[in-house]
Coordinates of all heavy atoms in Angstrom, one line a residue:
L79 N -35.4 35.5 6.7 CA -36.9 35.7 6.7 C -37.5 34.3 7.0 O -37.3 33.3 6.3 CB -37.3 36.1 5.3 CG -38.8 36.3 5.1 CD1 -39.4 37.3 6.1 CD2 -39.1 36.6 3.7
H80 N -38.2 34.2 8.1 CA -38.9 33.0 8.6 C -40.4 33.2 8.3 O -41.0 34.2 8.6 CB -38.7 32.8 10.0 CG -37.3 32.3 10.3 ND1 -36.9 31.4 11.2 CD2 -36.1 32.8 9.9 CE1 -35.6 31.2 11.3 NE2 -35.1 32.1 10.5
C81 N -41.0 32.1 7.9 CA -42.5 32.1 7.6 C -43.1 30.8 8.2 O -42.7 29.7 7.7 CB -42.7 32.3 6.2 SG -44.5 32.2 5.8
A82 N -44.0 30.9 9.1 CA -44.7 29.7 9.6 C -46.0 29.7 8.9 O -46.8 30.6 8.9 CB -44.9 29.8 11.1
A83 N -46.3 28.6 8.2 CA -47.5 28.5 7.4 C -48.1 27.1 7.4 O -47.4 26.1 7.8 CB -47.2 28.9 5.9
E84 N -49.3 27.0 7.1 CA -50.0 25.7 7.0 C -49.3 24.8 6.0 O -48.9 25.2 4.9 CB -51.4 25.9 6.6 CG -52.2 24.6 6.7 CD -53.7 24.8 6.5 OE1 -54.1 26.0 6.4 OE2 -54.4 23.8 6.4
K85 N -49.1 23.5 6.4 CA -48.4 22.5 5.5 C -49.4 22.2 4.4 O -50.5 21.8 4.7 CB -48.1 21.3 6.3 CG -46.7 21.2 6.7 CD -46.4 19.8 7.1 CE -46.1 19.7 8.6 NZ -45.8 18.4 9.1
A86 N -48.9 22.3 3.2 CA -49.7 21.8 2.1 C -48.6 21.4 1.0 O -47.7 22.2 0.8 CB -50.6 22.8 1.5
P87 N -48.7 20.2 0.4 CA -47.7 19.8 -0.5 C -47.5 20.8 -1.6 O -48.4 21.2 -2.3 CB -48.3 18.5 -1.1 CG -49.3 18.0 -0.1 CD -49.8 19.3 0.6
G88 N -46.2 21.3 -1.7 CA -45.8 22.2 -2.8 C -46.1 23.7 -2.5 O -45.5 24.5 -3.2
D89 N -47.0 24.0 -1.6 CA -47.3 25.4 -1.3 C -46.2 26.2 -0.9 O -45.9 27.3 -1.4 CB -48.5 25.5 -0.3 CG -49.8 25.2 -0.9 OD1 -49.9 25.0 -2.1 OD2 -50.8 25.2 -0.2
G90 N -45.4 25.7 0.1 CA -44.3 26.5 0.6 C -43.2 26.6 -0.5 O -42.6 27.7 -0.6
A91 N -42.9 25.6 -1.2 CA -41.9 25.7 -2.3 C -42.3 26.7 -3.4 O -41.5 27.4 -3.9 CB -41.7 24.3 -2.9
A92 N -43.6 26.6 -3.7 CA -44.1 27.6 -4.7 C -44.0 29.0 -4.2 O -43.7 29.9 -5.0 CB -45.6 27.2 -5.1
W93 N -44.4 29.2 -2.9 CA -44.3 30.6 -2.4 C -42.8 31.1 -2.4 O -42.6 32.2 -2.8 CB -44.8 30.6 -0.9 CG -45.0 31.9 -0.3 CD1 -46.1 32.7 -0.4 CD2 -44.0 32.7 0.4 NE1 -45.9 33.9 0.2 CE2 -44.6 33.9 0.8 CE3 -42.7 32.4 0.8 CZ2 -43.9 34.9 1.5 CZ3 -42.1 33.4 1.6 CH2 -42.7 34.6 1.9
L94 N -41.9 30.2 -2.0 CA -40.5 30.6 -2.0 C -40.0 30.9 -3.4 O -39.3 31.9 -3.5 CB -39.6 29.5 -1.3 CG -39.7 29.3 0.2 CD1 -38.9 28.1 0.6 CD2 -39.2 30.5 0.9
T95 N -40.3 30.1 -4.3 CA -39.9 30.3 -5.7 C -40.5 31.7 -6.2 O -39.7 32.5 -6.8 CB -40.3 29.2 -6.6 OG1 -39.7 28.0 -6.1 CG2 -39.9 29.4 -8.1
D96 N -41.7 31.9 -6.0 CA -42.4 33.1 -6.4 C -41.7 34.3 -5.7 O -41.5 35.4 -6.4 CB -43.9 33.1 -6.2 CG -44.6 34.3 -6.8 OD1 -44.4 34.5 -8.1 OD2 -45.3 35.0 -6.1
F97 N -41.5 34.2 -4.4 CA -40.9 35.3 -3.7 C -39.5 35.6 -4.2 O -39.1 36.8 -4.4 CB -40.8 34.9 -2.2 CG -40.2 36.0 -1.3 CD1 -40.9 37.2 -1.1 CD2 -39.0 35.8 -0.8 CE1 -40.3 38.2 -0.3 CE2 -38.4 36.8 0.0 CZ -39.0 38.0 0.2
R98 N -38.7 34.6 -4.5 CA -37.3 34.8 -5.0 C -37.4 35.5 -6.3 O -36.6 36.5 -6.6 CB -36.6 33.5 -5.1 CG -36.1 32.9 -3.8 CD -35.2 31.7 -4.0 NE -35.9 30.6 -4.6 CZ -36.1 29.4 -4.1 NH1 -35.6 29.2 -2.9 NH2 -36.7 28.5 -4.7
E99 N -38.3 35.1 -7.2 CA -38.4 35.8 -8.5 C -38.9 37.2 -8.4 O -38.4 38.1 -9.1 CB -39.4 35.0 -9.4 CG -38.8 33.7 -9.8 CD -39.7 32.8 -10.5 OE1 -40.9 33.1 -10.7 OE2 -39.3 31.7 -11.0
W100 N -39.8 37.5 -7.4 CA -40.3 38.8 -7.2 C -39.1 39.7 -6.7 O -39.0 40.9 -7.2 CB -41.4 38.8 -6.2 CG -41.9 40.2 -5.8 CD1 -42.8 40.9 -6.5 CD2 -41.6 41.0 -4.7 NE1 -43.0 42.2 -5.9 CE2 -42.3 42.2 -4.8 CE3 -40.7 40.7 -3.6 CZ2 -42.2 43.2 -3.8 CZ3 -40.6 41.7 -2.6 CH2 -41.3 42.9 -2.7
V101 N -38.3 39.2 -5.7 CA -37.2 40.0 -5.2 C -36.2 40.3 -6.3 O -35.8 41.5 -6.5 CB -36.5 39.2 -4.1 CG1 -35.2 39.9 -3.7 CG2 -37.4 39.1 -2.8
Q102 N -35.9 39.4 -7.2 CA -35.0 39.6 -8.3 C -35.5 40.7 -9.2 O -34.8 41.6 -9.6 CB -34.8 38.3 -9.1 CG -33.8 38.5 -10.2 CD -33.6 37.2 -10.9 OE1 -34.5 36.5 -11.3 NE2 -32.3 36.8 -11.1
N103 N -36.8 40.6 -9.6 CA -37.4 41.6 -10.4 C -37.4 43.0 -9.8 O -37.1 44.0 -10.5 CB -38.9 41.2 -10.8 CG -39.5 42.2 -11.7 OD1 -39.0 42.4 -12.8 ND2 -40.6 42.8 -11.3
Q104 N -37.7 43.1 -8.5 CA -37.7 44.4 -7.9 C -36.3 45.0 -7.9 O -36.1 46.2 -8.1 CB -38.2 44.2 -6.4 CG -39.6 43.8 -6.3 CD -40.6 44.8 -6.8 OE1 -40.7 45.9 -6.3 NE2 -41.3 44.5 -7.8
S105 N -35.3 44.1 -7.7 CA -33.9 44.6 -7.7 C -33.5 45.0 -9.1 O -32.9 46.1 -9.2 CB -33.0 43.5 -7.2 OG -31.6 43.9 -7.1
V106 N -33.8 44.2 -10.1 CA -33.4 44.6 -11.5 C -34.1 45.9 -11.9 O -33.5 46.7 -12.6 CB -33.7 43.4 -12.4 CG1 -33.6 43.8 -13.9 CG2 -32.8 42.2 -12.1
Q107 N -35.4 46.0 -11.6 CA -36.1 47.2 -12.0 C -35.9 48.4 -11.1 O -36.5 49.5 -11.3 CB -37.6 46.9 -11.9 CG -38.1 45.7 -12.8 CD -37.9 46.0 -14.3 OE1 -38.0 47.2 -14.7 NE2 -37.6 45.0 -15.1
R108 N -35.0 48.3 -10.1 CA -34.6 49.4 -9.2 C -35.9 49.8 -8.4 O -36.0 51.0 -8.1 CB -34.0 50.5 -9.9 CG -32.7 50.1 -10.6 CD -31.8 51.2 -10.8 NE -30.8 51.0 -11.9 CZ -29.8 50.1 -11.8 NH1 -29.7 49.4 -10.7 NH2 -28.9 50.0 -12.8
L109 N -36.7 48.9 -8.0 CA -37.9 49.2 -7.2 C -37.7 48.8 -5.7 O -38.6 49.0 -4.9 CB -39.1 48.4 -7.8 CG -39.5 48.8 -9.2 CD1 -40.5 47.9 -9.7 CD2 -39.9 50.3 -9.3

Side-chain angles (χ1 to χ4, degrees):
L79 176 63
H80 289 222
C81 174
E84 187 173 354
K85 259 195 248 181
D89 281 357
W93 190 89
L94 286 173
T95 298
D96 188 57
F97 179 70
R98 286 189 295 241
E99 291 172 358
W100 177 82
V101 168
Q102 182 180 51
N103 182 59
Q104 296 295 297
S105 181
V106 169
Q107 300 295 328
R108 301 200 199 294
L109 300 172

